[in-house]
Amino acid sequence: MSDCYCKSGRAFEECCGPFLAGTATPPTPEAVMRSRYSAFATANVDYLESSLLPETRGDFSRPDTEQWARSSEWTGLEVRSTSKGGEGDDEGFVEFVAHFTMDGKPHVHHETGRFARQDGRWFYVDGIMGPRPRVATKIGRNDPCPCGSGKKYKKCHGAAA
């Protein structure tokens, strides 16, 4: 048994192997992302295409994907964070860094991938480079203070601002 390409610490046959073989489906967005990394490492272009949300497959280029997968040495994967993607969710996010070498030069692909559940199965939708942007909510002067004091923000923590 060999270690899984996704660096989960598990054997490939017990980790991503069943997903790539089509004998199991990934139960979470993180499992989809890890299996897609393993698919790149093994140049399994069929899996890379089938793990895309069907509506997003229009711009998938089999030749380009295969060329990238085969011309790279996939050297490691870091999962930085996950959000959503649980039992009651239809959307999930995975921030990851994929390490690979191409033409003798090391590269990193840092992305936050978006995943969607459709018909009970998780699919990769798209991603943004780097971490997912944090959304801060603006507190109005007359809103309750988030500290829980019961005072208006302007009379509590907003007074110091």
Side-chain angles (χ1 to χ4, degrees):
M1 288 193 186
S2 59
D3 289 341
C4 193
Y5 300 95
C6 78
K7 305 297 184 194
S8 66
R10 297 169 51 206
F12 177 72
E13 296 79 10
E14 298 169 357
C15 190
C16 295
F19 306 142
L20 273 59
T23 59
T25 57
T28 64
E30 181 179 346
V32 174
M33 195 280 311
R34 287 182 174 281
S35 64
R36 285 180 56 81
Y37 180 88
S38 291
F40 273 106
T42 58
N44 187 332
V45 180
D46 291 337
Y47 182 80
L48 290 166
E49 183 173 17
S50 71
S51 61
L52 290 172
L53 188 68
E55 301 87 86
T56 65
R57 294 179 190 164
D59 63 351
F60 179 76
S61 170
R62 290 183 68 84
D64 291 347
T65 302
E66 185 169 12
Q67 196 273 328
W68 184 28
R70 290 193 186 283
S71 66
S72 300
E73 177 188 349
W74 300 88
T75 56
L77 176 68
E78 299 170 52
V79 174
R80 296 254 174 111
S81 67
T82 62
S83 63
K84 296 187 178 182
E87 280 287 319
D89 295 325
D90 288 327
E91 183 176 60
F93 299 90
V94 179
E95 180 189 353
F96 65 93
V97 179
H99 298 267
F100 62 100
T101 302
M102 183 183 275
D103 298 326
K105 296 178 191 154
H107 296 273
V108 295
H109 177 88
H110 184 182
E111 177 183 321
T112 298
R114 182 168 59 111
F115 299 80
R117 187 188 336 241
Q118 188 175 79
D119 299 326
R121 182 176 169 195
W122 285 104
F123 293 93
Y124 175 80
V125 179
D126 58 19
I128 59 167
M129 298 307 289
R132 184 173 176 209
R134 305 249 188 254
V135 178
T137 54
K138 183 164 173 44
I139 302 168
R141 292 176 29 84
N142 291 315
D143 290 339
C145 190
C147 76
S149 68
K151 297 179 183 178
K152 289 183 178 183
Y153 179 69
K154 67 182 178 186
K155 294 287 187 180
C156 191
H157 282 89

